Amino acid sequence: MNWLHPTPDGCTVTVKATPRSSTSAFAGADPEWVRVRLQAPPVDGKANAALIALFADTFGIPKRSVEILTGDTARLKRVRLHGVSAAAVAALLSSAP
């Protein structure tokens, strides 16, 4: 799982986002990233906001605890989750379809 790295206050996750999907959901894990489908279009930061909301809702953390580190305008992004352990992320996202 090269897509998940623990940090002292949580973890970082590498995601590959696909905007304009029918629903927002996690779509499985590849060796290098987690696939995420987002209903929002990649315009004016709407897809990034949808990505932050998806992580916050999935892990029960506030949106301010989700931070996009790299890839603001790219499909491949690194996301930091504050207050969520790498083990919790691995358990939930590894079982995604």
Side-chain angles (χ1 to χ4, degrees):
M1 283 190 299
N2 293 333
W3 51 266
L4 181 63
H5 301 281
T7 62
D9 64 340
C11 63
T12 60
V13 181
T14 303
V15 299
K16 186 170 187 179
T18 304
R20 290 192 176 115
S21 293
S22 58
T23 59
S24 292
F26 293 100
D30 287 344
E32 297 297 320
W33 57 70
V34 173
R35 293 186 181 273
V36 178
R37 292 192 168 90
L38 302 170
Q39 192 171 11
V43 178
D44 298 328
K46 291 179 183 178
N48 287 341
L51 179 67
I52 289 170
L54 179 63
F55 272 105
D57 291 344
T58 300
F59 294 104
I61 56 175
K63 290 179 184 177
R64 68 179 179 271
S65 296
V66 181
E67 176 185 5
I68 296 177
L69 298 174
T70 62
D72 265 350
T73 59
R75 292 177 67 156
L76 198 59
K77 303 173 185 297
R78 280 191 1 178
V79 178
R80 178 178 289 157
L81 304 175
H82 298 277
V84 180
S85 71
V89 173
L92 191 67
L93 295 184
S94 293
S95 64

